[in-house]
Amino acid sequence: QKEVEQDPGPLSVPEGAIVSLNCTYSNSAFQYFMWYRQYSRKGPELLMYTYSSGNKEDGRFTAQVDKSSKYISLFIRDSQPSDSATYLCAMIESSASKIIFGSGTRLSIRP
Amino acid sequence: GAVVSQHPSWVICKSGTSVKIECRSLDFQATTMFWYRQFPKQSLMLMATSNEGSKATYEQGVEKDKFLINHASLTLSTLTVTSAHPEDSSFYICSAILAGVTDTQYFGPGTRLTVL
């Protein structure tokens, strides 16, 4: 079993829709949770960063962490074609710097 | 701030040659840099952790004699793929940790390596 599971998609939604991206994990020691956006042939770009459980909102993006269920989500409101990219969840333990990535979900926003 | 650059952005080489990829932190000092490899439609796989002034720590299954890493300064780490083969063709991405902030990595734009 992988430490982090993420549906690879592809996920295609119309412009303006609310997008929900999710990851599950098995390591209860993870404390820091991140979402990265990666455009084709580019390096990942940090979108959201959350410590422990709870919600965090930044503009159209909301990250949720439910440590009891080992489940994290990224919501994108009012989705735009420019949001089309691969979204990677990632997490690290509290005492280590090694990031464990999900496999990434390819998202396409249709105009 | 926290910009990481890589050079070259893409490279094509013949089988058996060596290729050097540079990773630079442009506006901050990075005591630790990481090297990842990403195959098409797959996630990033950590290859090695590079600490300034010391030997790199390689992940299991990564040949240290094939993937030479040098972190000579607080702003530069290099990855040299020695005697490259077609199976080494991949997207290589580096990241850097802002000194004193261990939980956020800033990624470079990546280098596309194609070995013929």
Side-chain angles (χ1 to χ4, degrees), chain B residues 10-114:
Chain B
W10 60 271
V11 57
I12 301 173
C13 69
K14 292 182 178 180
S15 184
T17 61
S18 294
V19 175
K20 179 184 284 189
I21 302 171
E22 293 185 348
C23 176
R24 292 181 185 272
S25 55
L26 297 185
D27 51 1
F28 67 102
Q29 292 185 332
T31 53
T32 302
M33 290 183 172
F34 301 88
W35 286 96
Y36 294 85
R37 181 166 50 186
Q38 186 178 35
F39 292 106
K41 298 183 181 181
Q42 294 188 26
S43 186
L44 289 80
M45 298 300 296
L46 180 64
M47 299 175 65
T49 302
S50 170
N51 293 297
E52 187 266 338
S54 63
K55 291 184 178 180
T57 302
Y58 291 81
E59 294 298 301
Q60 191 174 10
V62 178
E63 299 175 59
K64 62 180 181 181
D65 294 330
K66 182 171 182 60
F67 298 99
L68 301 178
I69 292 173
N70 185 283
H71 193 159
S73 76
L74 288 172
T75 59
L76 174 64
S77 176
T78 60
L79 168 68
T80 301
V81 183
T82 62
S83 186
H85 291 283
E87 57 265 29
D88 298 322
S89 299
S90 187
F91 194 50
Y92 291 86
I93 304 174
C94 72
S95 70
I97 286 181
L98 187 63
V101 183
T102 61
D103 48 18
T104 303
Q105 291 188 20
Y106 297 93
F107 286 85
T111 297
R112 173 75 58 189
L113 170 64
T114 301

